[in-house]
Amino acid sequence: MAYPQSPSMSSKEPTADQESYNKYKDLISTLPTQRWGPGGDDLHQYHGFWFHRSLLEEIMAAQDHFVARPTDIILATFPKSGTTWLKALTFATINRKRTDVAGPNNPLSMLSKLNPHECVPFITSLYHNGRLPDLDSLPVPRLFAEHAPFSLLPESVPGSGSRIVYLCRNPKDNLVSLWHHSLARARARGVAQYHSFDEVFELFCSGISMVGPIWEHALGYWRESLRRPERVMFMKYEQLKGDTGGCLKRLAEFIGCPFSEEEEREGKVEEIVGMCSFERLSELEVNKTGRMSFGSTEIENKEYFRKGEVGDWNRHLTAEMAERLDRIIEEKLKGSGLEFQDAPLEIC
């Protein structure tokens, strides 16, 4: 079964591929660049999407080196779409029957001691700064996460039979959450504010944001979920909020570890929902005081538990801004069958 996975857990020290990284850097230096966000980060356009340099290097490295397996499970999201919550729910669901590890090392107890991002690593982060991690020893199924667009996943992923769970969120709430997280990154780096919220809104509407455009990111996974529903599950954050238990059962079925009738009678679904709730996770000491490094920036764990509300955009966007973004999204998704909601749906 899956277990907290990170390069440091491997008995084999990661090797480095510095030669390839130098090639990535040379290529990135030729790409269109746009400053973005309160921290004024440089984003580079590659194959129609925008990336921080470090993430783009890691995407290129993963494309060159990551070998997917049919048993792999990959949690894919646009940044600030509920990634932390999805990681916790999936990790707890996969490991709920694990009995070979007892006491403080029990996988479920790990969610009380580790941030969910430490339990489920991003594929790309495993290749940070030239590292070549040993992933062969990880337990099956290997559980990973990813922010990369579907078109830029490692080539082995679509062909391997790996199962992908994609979680999307209403773009208005997504923008607000992304703004606050970017503010936290800027504070952590001691950077004075570069862009105002209004300026970030304009860039977001033009498709410029981390791994944006958001509509193209969602459409890539949406279309693949229609083409291969047995391998790509498409979920909406608003559905997950409105019917967490129902969505969790659907998720468990999809990843190959469904809840039995006995487990449902015993309240196992509700137990995991409670264990992974925003309220519980945000009150854990590790998520109130801990820190994690992503690239060269350390972020406080509490920044991953700001609100998690549906409709928080109402406090940040004017009616005119909301209407404009809605029109843009509607036009970009036209004919695809994909829509976004402003309120939770009751049924997953």
Side-chain angles (χ1 to χ4, degrees):
M1 301 295 284
Y3 196 62
Q5 304 167 29
S6 73
S8 62
M9 292 188 64
S10 172
S11 59
K12 177 181 175 182
E13 281 297 313
T15 56
D17 182 17
Q18 205 57 52
E19 182 179 350
S20 291
Y21 261 76
N22 290 336
K23 293 179 181 177
Y24 306 150
K25 292 178 189 295
D26 289 343
L27 172 58
I28 293 171
S29 69
T30 69
L31 300 176
T33 302
Q34 168 69 54
R35 298 196 76 180
W36 188 93
D41 297 318
D42 282 340
L43 297 184
H44 305 276
Q45 190 180 43
Y46 182 70
H47 287 237
F49 293 89
W50 294 89
F51 304 93
H52 288 126
R53 177 187 56 79
S54 59
L55 177 58
L56 187 49
E57 290 173 356
E58 293 163 6
I59 286 175
M60 292 175 174
Q63 289 175 330
D64 285 345
H65 298 289
F66 181 76
V67 179
R69 297 174 178 173
T71 51
D72 286 348
I73 297 168
I74 299 170
L75 309 179
T77 56
F78 191 86
K80 309 312 296 177
S81 295
T83 310
T84 309
W85 190 21
L86 180 62
K87 284 185 174 186
L89 287 168
T90 309
F91 180 80
T93 298
I94 287 178
N95 285 295
R96 70 185 188 273
K97 296 181 179 179
R98 189 179 173 102
T99 59
D100 59 318
V101 180
N105 292 322
N106 181 278
L108 293 186
S109 72
M110 300 302 281
L111 280 174
S112 296
K113 300 188 297 183
L114 298 174
N115 182 280
H117 291 291
E118 297 176 275
C119 296
V120 185
F122 289 99
I123 292 174
T124 46
S125 68
L126 298 175
Y127 296 91
H128 177 64
N129 203 27
R131 291 181 303 191
L132 291 178
D134 174 23
L135 305 180
D136 292 337
S137 60
L138 295 178
V140 176
R142 301 187 304 183
L143 179 58
F144 301 111
E146 194 50 70
H147 282 327
F150 181 81
S151 59
L152 292 178
L153 290 176
E155 189 175 322
S156 63
V157 172
S160 69
S162 301
R163 279 165 289 189
I164 300 172
V165 178
Y166 184 77
L167 182 65
C168 71
R169 189 179 188 182
N170 184 293
K172 298 193 293 291
D173 277 333
N174 218 136
L175 168 61
V176 169
S177 186
L178 194 61
W179 162 257
H180 282 285
H181 189 71
S182 298
L183 275 176
R185 291 184 77 253
R187 287 194 300 267
R189 292 159 49 204
V191 177
Q193 185 168 313
Y194 182 81
H195 277 140
S196 67
F197 180 77
D198 287 355
E199 290 171 320
V200 166
F201 173 80
E202 292 296 328
L203 291 169
F204 193 80
C205 286
S206 66
I208 301 174
S209 66
M210 182 60 169
V211 304
I214 189 172
W215 50 84
E216 291 297 337
H217 197 280
L219 281 172
Y221 287 94
W222 170 252
R223 288 166 177 152
E224 191 65 13
S225 75
L226 297 179
R227 192 175 76 87
R228 295 195 307 155
E230 75 285 357
R231 290 298 170 189
V232 181
M233 176 182 178
F234 196 97
M235 298 177 66
K236 297 178 179 179
Y237 184 84
E238 295 74 24
Q239 290 177 316
L240 190 56
K241 288 284 286 187
D243 181 19
T244 308
C247 288
L248 182 61
K249 288 193 288 185
R250 180 176 163 231
L251 171 65
E253 182 80 30
F254 177 78
I255 62 178
C257 52
F259 291 95
S260 66
E261 292 183 2
E262 181 180 0
E263 284 181 306
E264 291 194 36
R265 286 195 301 270
E266 293 175 348
K268 181 58 70 174
V269 175
E270 292 76 12
E271 179 185 339
I272 290 178
V273 169
M275 176 192 307
C276 300
S277 69
F278 179 92
E279 292 74 19
R280 179 183 180 277
L281 290 176
S282 62
E283 286 302 313
L284 293 174
E285 190 65 21
V286 65
N287 294 325
K288 291 196 293 185
T289 62
R291 303 174 71 89
M292 278 186 301
S293 295
F294 280 101
S296 58
T297 304
E298 271 201 348
I299 301 289
E300 293 183 85
N301 288 351
K302 67 181 181 181
E303 300 296 345
Y304 294 95
F305 300 92
R306 191 183 68 85
K307 282 190 176 181
E309 294 180 359
V310 173
D312 187 44
W313 62 265
N314 275 295
R315 300 182 181 91
H316 298 79
L317 275 68
T318 65
E320 292 75 18
M321 293 167 77
E323 183 180 350
R324 179 183 167 197
L325 185 51
D326 282 343
R327 285 199 307 268
I328 291 172
I329 296 298
E330 183 179 359
E331 177 62 30
K332 297 297 184 181
L333 301 182
K334 188 175 182 180
S336 69
L338 175 59
E339 297 177 345
F340 290 102
Q341 293 80 33
D342 280 332
L345 301 179
E346 295 183 357
I347 300 176
C348 185

